């Protein structure tokens, strides 16, 4: 369905705008939103799906300098790191390709959180619209 966003000044970056939208849809919708928005090279965003019965949650974050981060979200809101990704990080750290701390931060999305946090806080009091889609 078509969406109309309410844009407001972004206090964290004067001269830019922000919009926020809460939505509901079938699992996989956040991936589609992320695929579309990541092509807008100058935009920062997050798209999050809550876990549902039979489907893990997922959070996508994007910044122009870092690109896309995706993390599986558990029922309690924590990022869940798959075993194969942990093993890869440990192997890279063991041979000196990267530090374990740096790689674990990337697995948890820390660089994206650090870059996006000022923009999140700048949205206090910003208008929010809820979007409901029939499945």
């Amino acid at each position: 369905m078509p969406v109309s966003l309410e844009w407001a000044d972004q206090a964290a970056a004067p001269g830019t705008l922000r919009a926020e939208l809460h939505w509901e849809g079938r699992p996989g919708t956040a991936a589609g939103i992320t695929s579309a928005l990541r092509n807008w090279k100058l935009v920062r965003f997050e798209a999050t799906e809550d876990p549902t019965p039979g489907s893990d949650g997922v959070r996508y974050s994007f910044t122009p300098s870092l690109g896309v981060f995706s993390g599986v979200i558990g029922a309690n809101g924590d990022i869940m790191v798959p075993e194969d990704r942990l093993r890869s990080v440990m192997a890279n750290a063991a041979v000196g390709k990267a530090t374990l701390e740096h790689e674990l931060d990337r697995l948890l999305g820390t660089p994206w959180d650090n870059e996006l946090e000022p923009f999140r806080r700048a949205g206090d009091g910003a208008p929010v619209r809820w979007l409901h889609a029939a499945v």
Side-chain angles (χ1 to χ4, degrees):
M1 81 175 50
V3 175
S4 177
L5 299 174
E6 288 186 38
W7 294 93
D9 290 334
Q10 172 54 272
T16 65
L17 300 172
R18 66 173 282 116
E20 192 168 330
L21 175 71
H22 292 266
W23 53 274
E24 293 179 13
R26 68 183 187 283
T29 302
I33 291 170
T34 299
S35 292
L37 290 179
R38 72 183 288 178
N39 293 321
W40 295 15
K41 305 295 181 198
L42 299 177
V43 80
R44 290 173 184 85
F45 69 88
E46 292 178 289
T48 303
E49 283 183 17
D50 292 329
T52 60
S55 180
D56 290 328
V58 65
R59 176 172 59 108
Y60 296 95
S61 301
F62 179 86
T63 72
S65 63
L66 297 170
V68 174
F69 165 80
S70 67
V72 176
I73 305 295
N76 64 352
D78 286 345
I79 299 239
M80 311 290 284
V81 180
E83 179 182 343
D84 63 329
R85 292 181 75 184
L86 281 173
R87 290 188 187 281
S88 176
V89 161
M90 291 184 328
N92 286 340
V95 297
K97 287 186 178 179
T99 66
L100 185 58
E101 181 181 66
H102 174 77
E103 290 300 305
L104 289 175
D105 276 345
R106 289 188 61 80
L107 284 178
L108 296 173
T110 302
W112 287 265
D113 284 337
N114 290 343
E115 190 169 326
L116 290 169
E117 189 59 28
F119 295 92
R120 293 175 186 140
R121 285 188 306 223
D124 291 344
V128 175
R129 290 193 55 227
W130 286 86
L131 174 65
H132 298 273
V135 180

